[in-house]
Short mmCIF file of all heavy atoms in Angstrom, two decimals:
data_model
loop_
_atom_site.label_atom_id
_atom_site.label_comp_id
_atom_site.label_asym_id
_atom_site.label_seq_id
_atom_site.Cartn_x
_atom_site.Cartn_y
_atom_site.Cartn_z
N ASP A 298 7.44 -15.57 7.94
CA ASP A 298 7.85 -14.16 8.02
C ASP A 298 7.31 -13.37 6.82
O ASP A 298 6.85 -12.23 6.98
CB ASP A 298 9.38 -14.05 8.05
CG ASP A 298 9.98 -14.54 9.36
OD1 ASP A 298 9.23 -14.61 10.36
OD2 ASP A 298 11.19 -14.84 9.38
N LEU A 299 7.35 -13.96 5.65
CA LEU A 299 6.85 -13.28 4.45
C LEU A 299 5.34 -13.10 4.52
O LEU A 299 4.81 -12.07 4.07
CB LEU A 299 7.24 -14.08 3.20
CG LEU A 299 8.74 -14.05 2.85
CD1 LEU A 299 9.07 -15.10 1.79
CD2 LEU A 299 9.15 -12.66 2.37
N ASN A 300 4.65 -14.07 5.08
CA ASN A 300 3.20 -13.94 5.24
C ASN A 300 2.88 -12.75 6.15
O ASN A 300 1.96 -11.96 5.87
CB ASN A 300 2.63 -15.24 5.83
CG ASN A 300 1.12 -15.22 5.93
OD1 ASN A 300 0.42 -14.84 5.00
ND2 ASN A 300 0.60 -15.63 7.07
N ARG A 301 3.65 -12.60 7.21
CA ARG A 301 3.44 -11.45 8.10
C ARG A 301 3.77 -10.13 7.40
O ARG A 301 3.12 -9.10 7.64
CB ARG A 301 4.30 -11.62 9.36
CG ARG A 301 3.74 -12.67 10.34
CD ARG A 301 4.48 -12.66 11.65
NE ARG A 301 5.78 -13.30 11.55
CZ ARG A 301 5.99 -14.60 11.77
NH1 ARG A 301 4.98 -15.39 12.12
NH2 ARG A 301 7.21 -15.11 11.66
N ALA A 302 4.76 -10.17 6.51
CA ALA A 302 5.12 -8.96 5.76
C ALA A 302 3.98 -8.55 4.82
O ALA A 302 3.72 -7.34 4.64
CB ALA A 302 6.41 -9.18 4.97
N VAL A 303 3.30 -9.51 4.24
CA VAL A 303 2.15 -9.19 3.37
C VAL A 303 1.03 -8.56 4.20
O VAL A 303 0.38 -7.61 3.77
CB VAL A 303 1.65 -10.46 2.65
CG1 VAL A 303 0.37 -10.16 1.86
CG2 VAL A 303 2.72 -11.01 1.71
N LEU A 304 0.82 -9.09 5.39
CA LEU A 304 -0.20 -8.52 6.27
C LEU A 304 0.14 -7.07 6.64
O LEU A 304 -0.74 -6.20 6.65
CB LEU A 304 -0.33 -9.38 7.53
CG LEU A 304 -1.41 -8.97 8.55
CD1 LEU A 304 -2.78 -8.93 7.90
CD2 LEU A 304 -1.41 -9.91 9.73
N ARG A 305 1.41 -6.82 6.90
CA ARG A 305 1.82 -5.44 7.20
C ARG A 305 1.58 -4.52 6.00
O ARG A 305 1.16 -3.38 6.16
CB ARG A 305 3.30 -5.40 7.61
CG ARG A 305 3.58 -5.94 9.00
CD ARG A 305 4.97 -5.54 9.47
NE ARG A 305 6.03 -6.09 8.63
CZ ARG A 305 6.57 -7.29 8.81
NH1 ARG A 305 6.14 -8.08 9.78
NH2 ARG A 305 7.53 -7.71 8.01
N TRP A 306 1.88 -5.03 4.81
CA TRP A 306 1.62 -4.26 3.58
C TRP A 306 0.15 -3.85 3.51
O TRP A 306 -0.16 -2.68 3.23
CB TRP A 306 2.00 -5.07 2.36
CG TRP A 306 1.47 -4.51 1.07
CD1 TRP A 306 2.05 -3.54 0.30
CD2 TRP A 306 0.26 -4.87 0.41
NE1 TRP A 306 1.26 -3.26 -0.80
CE2 TRP A 306 0.16 -4.07 -0.76
CE3 TRP A 306 -0.76 -5.79 0.67
CZ2 TRP A 306 -0.91 -4.15 -1.64
CZ3 TRP A 306 -1.83 -5.88 -0.20
CH2 TRP A 306 -1.90 -5.08 -1.34
N ALA A 307 -0.75 -4.79 3.76
CA ALA A 307 -2.18 -4.49 3.68
C ALA A 307 -2.57 -3.45 4.72
O ALA A 307 -3.34 -2.52 4.43
CB ALA A 307 -2.99 -5.77 3.87
N ARG A 308 -2.04 -3.58 5.92
CA ARG A 308 -2.37 -2.63 7.00
C ARG A 308 -1.88 -1.22 6.68
O ARG A 308 -2.50 -0.22 7.06
CB ARG A 308 -1.77 -3.11 8.31
CG ARG A 308 -2.50 -4.30 8.92
CD ARG A 308 -1.76 -4.82 10.13
NE ARG A 308 -2.50 -5.88 10.82
CZ ARG A 308 -1.98 -6.66 11.76
NH1 ARG A 308 -0.71 -6.51 12.13
NH2 ARG A 308 -2.71 -7.59 12.34
N GLU A 309 -0.76 -1.13 5.98
CA GLU A 309 -0.18 0.18 5.67
C GLU A 309 -0.81 0.82 4.44
O GLU A 309 -1.01 2.04 4.39
CB GLU A 309 1.33 0.04 5.47
CG GLU A 309 2.08 -0.32 6.74
CD GLU A 309 3.52 -0.74 6.47
OE1 GLU A 309 3.92 -0.72 5.27
OE2 GLU A 309 4.23 -1.11 7.43
N GLU A 310 -1.13 0.02 3.42
CA GLU A 310 -1.57 0.55 2.14
C GLU A 310 -3.06 0.83 2.07
O GLU A 310 -3.49 1.84 1.50
CB GLU A 310 -1.18 -0.41 1.01
CG GLU A 310 0.32 -0.58 0.82
CD GLU A 310 1.01 0.70 0.40
OE1 GLU A 310 0.40 1.49 -0.34
OE2 GLU A 310 2.15 0.93 0.83
N VAL A 311 -3.86 -0.04 2.63
CA VAL A 311 -5.32 0.10 2.51
C VAL A 311 -5.83 1.41 3.13
O VAL A 311 -6.67 2.10 2.52
CB VAL A 311 -6.05 -1.12 3.09
CG1 VAL A 311 -7.56 -0.86 3.17
CG2 VAL A 311 -5.78 -2.36 2.23
N PRO A 312 -5.37 1.80 4.32
CA PRO A 312 -5.87 3.08 4.87
C PRO A 312 -5.56 4.28 3.98
O PRO A 312 -6.25 5.29 4.03
CB PRO A 312 -5.13 3.18 6.21
CG PRO A 312 -4.82 1.78 6.58
CD PRO A 312 -4.50 1.11 5.28
N GLN A 313 -4.52 4.17 3.15
CA GLN A 313 -4.15 5.28 2.27
C GLN A 313 -4.95 5.30 0.98
O GLN A 313 -5.02 6.32 0.30
CB GLN A 313 -2.65 5.21 1.95
CG GLN A 313 -1.75 5.29 3.16
CD GLN A 313 -0.28 5.17 2.79
OE1 GLN A 313 0.17 5.74 1.80
NE2 GLN A 313 0.46 4.42 3.59
N ASP A 314 -5.52 4.16 0.62
CA ASP A 314 -6.26 4.06 -0.65
C ASP A 314 -7.39 3.04 -0.48
O ASP A 314 -7.18 1.83 -0.58
CB ASP A 314 -5.32 3.64 -1.77
CG ASP A 314 -6.00 3.61 -3.14
OD1 ASP A 314 -7.23 3.82 -3.20
OD2 ASP A 314 -5.31 3.37 -4.15
N ALA A 315 -8.60 3.55 -0.24
CA ALA A 315 -9.75 2.67 -0.02
C ALA A 315 -10.04 1.78 -1.22
O ALA A 315 -10.64 0.71 -1.09
CB ALA A 315 -10.99 3.49 0.33
N GLY A 316 -9.59 2.21 -2.40
CA GLY A 316 -9.81 1.40 -3.60
C GLY A 316 -9.01 0.12 -3.63
O GLY A 316 -9.25 -0.75 -4.47
N LEU A 317 -8.07 0.00 -2.68
CA LEU A 317 -7.24 -1.20 -2.61
C LEU A 317 -7.87 -2.33 -1.81
O LEU A 317 -7.31 -3.42 -1.76
CB LEU A 317 -5.89 -0.87 -1.98
CG LEU A 317 -4.77 -0.33 -2.87
CD1 LEU A 317 -3.55 -0.02 -2.03
CD2 LEU A 317 -4.42 -1.32 -3.97
N VAL A 318 -9.02 -2.09 -1.21
CA VAL A 318 -9.59 -3.08 -0.29
C VAL A 318 -9.79 -4.43 -0.96
O VAL A 318 -9.34 -5.47 -0.45
CB VAL A 318 -10.91 -2.57 0.32
CG1 VAL A 318 -11.60 -3.69 1.10
CG2 VAL A 318 -10.66 -1.38 1.23
N ARG A 319 -10.46 -4.46 -2.10
CA ARG A 319 -10.74 -5.74 -2.76
C ARG A 319 -9.44 -6.41 -3.22
O ARG A 319 -9.29 -7.64 -3.11
CB ARG A 319 -11.67 -5.52 -3.95
CG ARG A 319 -13.09 -5.12 -3.54
CD ARG A 319 -13.95 -4.85 -4.76
NE ARG A 319 -14.11 -6.03 -5.59
CZ ARG A 319 -14.55 -6.00 -6.86
NH1 ARG A 319 -14.82 -4.85 -7.43
NH2 ARG A 319 -14.68 -7.12 -7.54
N THR A 320 -8.52 -5.60 -3.72
CA THR A 320 -7.23 -6.16 -4.12
C THR A 320 -6.49 -6.75 -2.92
O THR A 320 -5.93 -7.86 -2.99
CB THR A 320 -6.35 -5.07 -4.77
OG1 THR A 320 -7.00 -4.62 -5.96
CG2 THR A 320 -4.97 -5.60 -5.12
N ALA A 321 -6.50 -6.04 -1.81
CA ALA A 321 -5.81 -6.51 -0.61
C ALA A 321 -6.40 -7.82 -0.12
O ALA A 321 -5.67 -8.71 0.33
CB ALA A 321 -5.88 -5.45 0.48
N ILE A 322 -7.72 -7.95 -0.22
CA ILE A 322 -8.38 -9.20 0.21
C ILE A 322 -7.85 -10.37 -0.61
O ILE A 322 -7.53 -11.45 -0.07
CB ILE A 322 -9.90 -9.08 0.08
CG1 ILE A 322 -10.45 -8.12 1.15
CG2 ILE A 322 -10.57 -10.46 0.20
CD1 ILE A 322 -11.91 -7.77 0.97
N GLU A 323 -7.74 -10.19 -1.92
CA GLU A 323 -7.26 -11.27 -2.79
C GLU A 323 -5.78 -11.57 -2.52
O GLU A 323 -5.37 -12.74 -2.47
CB GLU A 323 -7.46 -10.91 -4.27
CG GLU A 323 -8.89 -10.61 -4.67
CD GLU A 323 -9.84 -11.79 -4.42
OE1 GLU A 323 -9.38 -12.94 -4.31
OE2 GLU A 323 -11.06 -11.55 -4.33
N VAL A 324 -4.99 -10.52 -2.33
CA VAL A 324 -3.56 -10.71 -2.06
C VAL A 324 -3.36 -11.44 -0.73
O VAL A 324 -2.54 -12.36 -0.63
CB VAL A 324 -2.83 -9.35 -2.05
CG1 VAL A 324 -1.41 -9.50 -1.50
CG2 VAL A 324 -2.78 -8.76 -3.46
N LEU A 325 -4.12 -11.06 0.28
CA LEU A 325 -4.01 -11.74 1.58
C LEU A 325 -4.43 -13.20 1.47
O LEU A 325 -3.82 -14.08 2.10
CB LEU A 325 -4.86 -11.02 2.62
CG LEU A 325 -4.32 -9.67 3.11
CD1 LEU A 325 -5.39 -8.94 3.94
CD2 LEU A 325 -3.06 -9.85 3.92
N ALA A 326 -5.45 -13.48 0.67
CA ALA A 326 -5.89 -14.86 0.48
C ALA A 326 -4.80 -15.69 -0.21
O ALA A 326 -4.58 -16.86 0.15
CB ALA A 326 -7.18 -14.90 -0.34
N ILE A 327 -4.13 -15.10 -1.18
CA ILE A 327 -3.01 -15.79 -1.84
C ILE A 327 -1.91 -16.07 -0.83
O ILE A 327 -1.36 -17.18 -0.77
CB ILE A 327 -2.49 -14.95 -3.02
CG1 ILE A 327 -3.52 -14.94 -4.16
CG2 ILE A 327 -1.15 -15.49 -3.52
CD1 ILE A 327 -3.19 -13.97 -5.28
N SER A 328 -1.57 -15.06 -0.04
CA SER A 328 -0.51 -15.21 0.96
C SER A 328 -0.84 -16.32 1.96
O SER A 328 0.01 -17.16 2.29
CB SER A 328 -0.32 -13.88 1.69
OG SER A 328 0.70 -13.98 2.66
N GLN A 329 -2.07 -16.35 2.43
CA GLN A 329 -2.48 -17.37 3.40
C GLN A 329 -2.37 -18.77 2.81
O GLN A 329 -1.97 -19.72 3.52
CB GLN A 329 -3.90 -17.10 3.86
CG GLN A 329 -4.02 -15.88 4.77
CD GLN A 329 -5.45 -15.41 4.93
OE1 GLN A 329 -6.39 -15.96 4.34
NE2 GLN A 329 -5.64 -14.36 5.73
N ARG A 330 -2.69 -18.89 1.53
CA ARG A 330 -2.61 -20.21 0.89
C ARG A 330 -1.16 -20.66 0.69
O ARG A 330 -0.84 -21.84 0.87
CB ARG A 330 -3.39 -20.20 -0.42
CG ARG A 330 -4.89 -20.32 -0.18
CD ARG A 330 -5.73 -19.83 -1.35
NE ARG A 330 -7.15 -20.02 -1.08
CZ ARG A 330 -7.88 -19.27 -0.25
NH1 ARG A 330 -7.31 -18.27 0.40
NH2 ARG A 330 -9.17 -19.52 -0.07
N PHE A 331 -0.28 -19.72 0.34
CA PHE A 331 1.13 -20.08 0.26
C PHE A 331 1.67 -20.47 1.64
O PHE A 331 2.47 -21.41 1.77
CB PHE A 331 1.95 -18.93 -0.32
CG PHE A 331 2.02 -18.95 -1.83
CD1 PHE A 331 1.46 -17.94 -2.58
CD2 PHE A 331 2.68 -19.98 -2.49
CE1 PHE A 331 1.52 -17.95 -3.97
CE2 PHE A 331 2.74 -20.01 -3.88
CZ PHE A 331 2.17 -18.99 -4.62
N GLU A 332 1.24 -19.76 2.66
CA GLU A 332 1.68 -20.10 4.02
C GLU A 332 1.22 -21.50 4.40
O GLU A 332 1.98 -22.27 5.01
CB GLU A 332 1.12 -19.07 5.01
CG GLU A 332 1.72 -19.14 6.40
CD GLU A 332 0.98 -20.07 7.32
OE1 GLU A 332 -0.21 -20.36 7.04
OE2 GLU A 332 1.57 -20.53 8.32
N ARG A 333 0.00 -21.85 4.00
CA ARG A 333 -0.51 -23.20 4.28
C ARG A 333 0.25 -24.26 3.48
O ARG A 333 0.51 -25.36 4.00
CB ARG A 333 -2.02 -23.25 3.96
CG ARG A 333 -2.69 -24.57 4.26
CD ARG A 333 -2.57 -24.95 5.71
NE ARG A 333 -3.15 -26.26 5.97
CZ ARG A 333 -2.68 -27.12 6.88
NH1 ARG A 333 -1.63 -26.82 7.60
NH2 ARG A 333 -3.27 -28.28 7.05
N ILE A 334 0.62 -23.93 2.24
CA ILE A 334 1.43 -24.87 1.47
C ILE A 334 2.76 -25.11 2.18
O ILE A 334 3.25 -26.24 2.25
CB ILE A 334 1.68 -24.32 0.04
CG1 ILE A 334 0.38 -24.39 -0.78
CG2 ILE A 334 2.78 -25.12 -0.67
CD1 ILE A 334 0.46 -23.72 -2.14
N GLY A 335 3.33 -24.04 2.77
CA GLY A 335 4.55 -24.20 3.55
C GLY A 335 4.36 -25.13 4.72
O GLY A 335 5.22 -25.98 5.00
N ASP A 336 3.23 -25.01 5.41
CA ASP A 336 2.94 -25.90 6.54
C ASP A 336 2.83 -27.36 6.09
O ASP A 336 3.37 -28.27 6.76
CB ASP A 336 1.64 -25.49 7.22
CG ASP A 336 1.75 -24.20 8.02
OD1 ASP A 336 2.90 -23.78 8.29
OD2 ASP A 336 0.72 -23.61 8.35
N LEU A 337 2.14 -27.59 5.00
CA LEU A 337 1.97 -28.96 4.50
C LEU A 337 3.29 -29.52 4.00
O LEU A 337 3.57 -30.72 4.15
CB LEU A 337 0.92 -28.99 3.39
CG LEU A 337 -0.52 -28.79 3.84
CD1 LEU A 337 -1.44 -28.52 2.66
CD2 LEU A 337 -1.03 -30.02 4.61
N THR A 338 4.11 -28.67 3.41
CA THR A 338 5.43 -29.10 2.95
C THR A 338 6.29 -29.51 4.14
O THR A 338 7.02 -30.50 4.09
CB THR A 338 6.10 -27.97 2.15
OG1 THR A 338 5.28 -27.65 1.02
CG2 THR A 338 7.48 -28.39 1.67
N THR A 339 6.19 -28.75 5.22
CA THR A 339 6.90 -29.11 6.45
C THR A 339 6.42 -30.45 6.98
O THR A 339 7.23 -31.29 7.43
CB THR A 339 6.71 -28.02 7.52
OG1 THR A 339 7.24 -26.79 7.02
CG2 THR A 339 7.42 -28.38 8.81
N SER A 340 5.11 -30.68 6.93
CA SER A 340 4.57 -31.97 7.37
C SER A 340 5.13 -33.11 6.51
O SER A 340 5.46 -34.19 7.03
CB SER A 340 3.05 -31.96 7.28
OG SER A 340 2.50 -31.07 8.22
N MET A 341 5.24 -32.88 5.19
CA MET A 341 5.85 -33.88 4.32
C MET A 341 7.27 -34.19 4.76
O MET A 341 7.68 -35.36 4.84
CB MET A 341 5.88 -33.36 2.87
CG MET A 341 4.59 -33.44 2.12
SD MET A 341 4.77 -32.70 0.46
CE MET A 341 6.18 -33.60 -0.19
N ALA A 342 8.04 -33.13 5.04
CA ALA A 342 9.42 -33.33 5.47
C ALA A 342 9.49 -34.13 6.77
O ALA A 342 10.36 -35.00 6.94
CB ALA A 342 10.11 -31.97 5.64
N GLU A 343 8.58 -33.85 7.69
CA GLU A 343 8.56 -34.58 8.95
C GLU A 343 8.20 -36.05 8.73
O GLU A 343 8.71 -36.94 9.43
CB GLU A 343 7.57 -33.92 9.91
CG GLU A 343 8.06 -32.56 10.39
CD GLU A 343 7.03 -31.76 11.17
OE1 GLU A 343 5.83 -32.10 11.08
OE2 GLU A 343 7.40 -30.79 11.85
N GLU A 344 7.33 -36.32 7.76
CA GLU A 344 7.00 -37.70 7.43
C GLU A 344 8.20 -38.43 6.83
O GLU A 344 8.39 -39.62 7.06
CB GLU A 344 5.82 -37.75 6.45
CG GLU A 344 4.50 -37.24 7.00
CD GLU A 344 3.97 -38.07 8.17
OE1 GLU A 344 4.45 -39.19 8.37
OE2 GLU A 344 3.08 -37.57 8.87
N VAL A 345 9.02 -37.71 6.04
CA VAL A 345 10.24 -38.31 5.49
C VAL A 345 11.17 -38.73 6.62
O VAL A 345 11.74 -39.83 6.61
CB VAL A 345 10.95 -37.33 4.53
CG1 VAL A 345 12.33 -37.87 4.15
CG2 VAL A 345 10.11 -37.10 3.28
#
């Protein structure tokens, strides 16, 4: 849910400020990696 909220932030903020594009790219990349860590953590729990 938080990953989707970050995506919504990017969709709302970037059109208002083109200078945010590069920042948004990095923020989205961070969000995607945390989301993937969540997936792998879930896999660990399932292995337990």
Side-chain angles (χ1 to χ4, degrees):
D298 289 341
L299 289 167
N300 185 46
R301 286 189 284 270
V303 174
L304 182 58
R305 286 195 298 272
W306 166 85
R308 286 174 174 168
E309 292 168 2
E310 296 297 325
V311 171
Q313 300 178 42
D314 184 355
L317 275 178
V318 171
R319 291 177 63 196
T320 297
I322 289 171
E323 302 301 339
V324 169
L325 287 170
I327 289 171
S328 180
Q329 289 165 358
R330 282 159 178 76
F331 272 115
E332 192 270 339
R333 182 59 183 146
I334 289 173
D336 288 344
L337 288 167
T338 300
T339 299
S340 293
M341 282 177 54
E343 290 171 344
E344 294 297 345
V345 170

